[in-house]
């Protein structure tokens, strides 16, 4: 016959394992705090979240947290729509809420109710909390974008272009004066981004393609590059082969709109590709 102490110990052990089992079920339902899958889903569309966080911060002075913004799309493995996420970010910036209130609001939305039906508010809160590490990633990434020294106007041009990081490339994007003048323009090709960033800082160079840009302003030696200068690239080291342009931001880096399917981003000009394709630099201000 088992002693009372042994029975109590057995019951306690059973209770403990039952508690652990329940906890594991909740964590699994919420995506798992240690799982890499939610992080991967976030990074698949990180440019969208980063761009919107920066935009809302500039417009409203409030920095939306990455986990607050992306949790629904990460949980449901849904591709985020830029306009929808921007509306969501504005709402978050304008309201003081808890995670449970955020989860409740989403469960009440007609287009999200079905996807969240299987989750309780508690499970959603746990999931949002589990994504808080993403906020540190965003802060670290913001610290990495360091604009080098240069003239006041050059730095402003570079910083303005950097606000477009994450927006998708569009061939012919920002090639009308209406687009160039639009402070909220979101679609660019490489030269469109250059025209827009300059115009937004009082430098009206009109609408220009890469070849036209290569004959504007004044030539700058590579060793004398300053923040805000434009860098042109050619496939054959000649005027005829000019195919791309970016804006220098210092530290051997540029911000540019690369190609179809790729968002505006930062690249190193000392990479093998851009080193080989380097053609010339110009200062347009």
């Amino acid at each position: 016959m088992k002693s009372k102490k042994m029975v109590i110990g057995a019951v306690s052990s059973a209770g403990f394992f039952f508690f652990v089992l329940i906890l594991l079920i909740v964590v699994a339902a919420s995506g798992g705090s240690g799982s890499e899958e939610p992080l991967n889903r976030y990074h698949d569309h990180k440019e969208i979240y980063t761009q919107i966080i920066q935009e809302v911060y500039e417009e409203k002075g409030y920095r939306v947290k990455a986990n607050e913004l992306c949790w629904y799309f990460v949980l449901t493995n849904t591709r985020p729509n830029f306009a929808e996420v921007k509306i969501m970010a504005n709402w978050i910036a304008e309201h003081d809420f808890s995670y449970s209130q955020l989860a409740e609001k989403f469960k009440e939305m007609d287009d999200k109710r079905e996807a969240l039906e299987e989750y309780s508010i508690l499970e959603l809160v746990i999931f949002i909390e589990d994504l808080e590490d993403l906020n540190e990633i965003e802060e670290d990434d913001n610290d990495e974008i360091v604009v080098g020294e240069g003239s006041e106007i050059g730095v402003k041009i570079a910083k303005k272009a950097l606000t477009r990081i994450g927006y998708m490339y569009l061939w012919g994007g920002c090639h009308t004066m209406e687009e160039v003048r639009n402070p909220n323009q979101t679609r660019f090709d490489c030269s469109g981004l250059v025209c827009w960033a300059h115009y937004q800082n009082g430098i009206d160079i009109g609408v220009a393609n890469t070849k036209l840009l290569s004959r504007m302003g004044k030539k700058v030696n590579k060793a004398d590059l300053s923040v805000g200068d434009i860098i042109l690239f050619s496939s054959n080291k000649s005027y005829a082969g000019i195919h791309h342009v970016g804006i220098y931001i210092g530290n051997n880096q540029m911000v540019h709109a690369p190609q179809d399917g790729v968002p505006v981003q930062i690249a190193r000009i000392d990479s093998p590709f851009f080193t080989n394709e380097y053609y010339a630099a110009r200062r347009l201000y």
Side-chain angles (χ1 to χ4, degrees):
M1 181 176 180
K2 293 182 181 179
S3 67
K4 183 177 181 181
K5 184 175 182 181
M6 291 175 64
V7 172
I8 292 173
V11 172
S12 298
S13 296
F16 172 76
F17 285 117
F18 178 74
F19 170 77
V20 170
L21 179 61
I22 294 298
L23 182 62
L24 288 174
I25 291 173
V26 171
V27 171
S30 66
S33 61
S35 172
E36 292 184 359
E37 188 174 1
L39 282 176
N40 292 336
R41 292 179 183 176
Y42 166 77
H43 283 290
D44 285 345
H45 307 291
K46 179 175 177 292
E47 294 85 359
I48 292 177
Y49 301 123
T50 299
Q51 179 60 43
I52 291 175
I53 288 171
Q54 181 62 29
E55 277 196 8
V56 172
Y57 177 71
E58 292 180 352
E59 295 167 1
K60 299 183 180 295
Y62 178 87
R63 189 170 293 281
V64 177
K65 299 297 185 183
N67 68 320
E68 299 170 347
L69 196 58
C70 75
W71 70 271
Y72 169 80
F73 303 99
V74 171
L75 177 63
T76 59
N77 198 19
T78 305
R79 181 180 180 86
N81 173 275
F82 190 96
E84 180 183 6
V85 178
K86 181 66 180 291
I87 291 173
M88 187 187 310
N90 283 324
W91 181 86
I92 291 172
E94 294 167 359
H95 295 80
D96 183 20
F97 59 87
S98 64
Y99 286 164
S100 62
Q101 290 171 325
L102 180 62
E104 287 172 359
K105 179 175 178 61
F106 271 72
K107 283 178 72 71
E108 292 170 357
M109 293 180 179
D110 292 338
D111 60 335
K112 296 178 174 58
R113 184 182 296 118
E114 183 176 352
L116 298 177
E117 187 176 9
E118 63 181 292
Y119 302 101
S120 69
I121 295 297
L122 176 59
E123 289 172 335
L124 295 178
V125 168
I126 291 173
F127 186 80
I128 298 171
E129 288 176 343
D130 283 345
L131 294 178
E132 285 182 345
D133 286 347
L134 296 178
N135 301 331
E136 297 180 9
I137 293 173
E138 281 294 336
E139 291 171 2
D140 290 342
D141 287 347
N142 288 336
D143 291 341
E144 289 175 4
I145 303 176
V146 178
V147 176
E149 296 182 358
S151 67
E152 181 180 359
I153 186 62
V155 170
K156 286 183 176 180
I157 290 169
K159 286 186 174 181
K160 180 56 70 172
L162 285 168
T163 67
R164 303 297 93 177
I165 285 180
Y167 286 115
M168 297 304 292
Y169 175 98
L170 175 67
W171 188 85
C174 203
H175 273 265
T176 67
M177 283 308 300
E178 180 180 2
E179 293 173 308
V180 170
R181 295 189 186 103
N182 180 10
N184 299 314
Q185 178 67 18
T186 60
R187 304 302 295 272
F188 306 88
D189 65 11
C190 62
S191 55
L193 179 63
V194 168
C195 298
W196 180 84
H198 280 74
Y199 184 88
Q200 297 303 314
N201 283 286
I203 311 297
D204 186 357
I205 58 175
V207 176
N209 59 28
T210 52
K211 287 185 170 62
L212 183 56
L213 288 172
S214 73
R215 295 185 173 180
M216 298 174 72
K218 57 185 177 182
K219 183 177 180 179
V220 177
N221 293 326
K222 192 173 185 179
D224 298 322
L225 276 169
S226 182
V227 174
D229 292 342
I230 68 168
I231 307 171
L232 296 131
F233 301 90
S234 171
S235 58
N236 57 13
K237 303 294 185 183
S238 72
Y239 172 82
I242 295 174
H243 62 84
H244 192 56
V245 63
I247 298 174
Y248 189 62
I249 64 171
N251 305 312
N252 279 322
Q253 297 181 106
M254 68 174 177
V255 56
H256 69 140
Q259 62 188 54
D260 283 328
V262 182
V264 174
Q265 60 187 246
I266 292 173
R268 296 198 62 84
I269 65 170
D270 56 356
S271 67
F273 176 79
F274 286 119
T275 296
N276 185 60
E277 301 275 313
Y278 185 94
Y279 175 71
R282 312 288 295 187
R283 189 166 298 157
L284 308 183
Y285 57 89

